[in-house]
Amino acid sequence: MMFQKMMRQVLTAAVVAGAAVAGVAAPVQAAEPTCNSYGRALLEHQEDGIYVPLYNNNETCKLTPGDTNNGVLGLQKNLNRCARVFINNSGWTDLQFSTLSEDRDFGPNTKAALIKAQKAINRELGVGIATDGGYGPQTRKWLEYFDVDGGCGQLAGQP
């Protein structure tokens, strides 16, 4: 009988402690959704816009290695038509990369190209964004403006 009473007290204390911990836990932040499509963003200095990854027509989204979808395709198009051209014409031989396969797969080649674009943005603009190969708020902000004398906005055709 004494053992049962002691066990009830231990279990009650554990439940109360668990509830207290749950009550003071920080609220969960809503994470950015994964980009699932792409479109064109029209910037003031461009005529046709540039390709950007989207989530339900919203630019607030992220991409990480391993993603396979149309958002990745938009990133690959942007890297090929904007960052690659700028970097390969810049003389920065350490950052140059070949045309990416536009295969919707955020694999090692896309990650390596994005890291090079992030490094080029930092070198050219001095902004200090992370060079982690992920597409999130910092990279999105600067990659969209990364062009060759406005040329990235002058693409033929539609996505």
Side-chain angles (χ1 to χ4, degrees):
M1 192 72 151
M2 179 74 146
F3 177 75
Q4 290 174 340
K5 183 177 179 182
M6 212 166 65
M7 285 304 292
R8 267 195 311 258
Q9 289 174 338
V10 168
L11 289 174
T12 301
V15 169
V16 169
V21 168
V24 298
V28 176
Q29 297 290 327
E32 283 194 346
T34 298
C35 306
N36 60 5
S37 63
Y38 69 96
R40 291 195 185 226
L42 185 60
L43 305 173
E44 64 184 53
H45 67 282
Q46 298 174 325
E47 294 177 14
D48 296 327
I50 58 173
Y51 292 107
V52 292
L54 301 171
Y55 174 77
N56 296 340
N57 293 320
N58 189 322
E59 292 180 42
T60 304
C61 58
K62 65 177 178 65
L63 290 168
T64 55
D67 289 338
T68 54
N69 59 39
N70 283 334
V72 176
L73 178 60
L75 175 62
Q76 290 167 331
K77 286 176 174 291
N78 185 298
L79 289 169
N80 278 336
R81 288 162 181 78
C82 299
R84 184 185 60 80
V85 175
F86 175 81
I87 290 168
N88 291 355
N89 289 333
S90 70
W92 299 328
T93 56
D94 61 317
L95 298 181
Q96 295 187 1
F97 61 94
S98 300
T99 302
L100 292 169
S101 294
E102 294 179 2
D103 59 3
R104 297 173 172 81
D105 180 17
F106 198 144
N109 292 337
T110 300
K111 179 180 178 179
L114 186 55
I115 288 171
K116 289 180 178 187
Q118 291 168 329
K119 288 179 179 180
I121 291 166
N122 287 339
R123 193 175 291 178
E124 179 71 11
L125 304 173
V127 293
I129 63 173
T131 55
D132 58 4
Y135 179 82
Q138 290 183 334
T139 299
R140 178 175 59 243
K141 176 181 177 181
W142 294 103
L143 189 62
E144 291 177 5
Y145 292 90
F146 196 14
D147 64 351
V148 185
D149 299 325
C152 284
Q154 299 167 4
L155 301 172
Q158 294 296 314

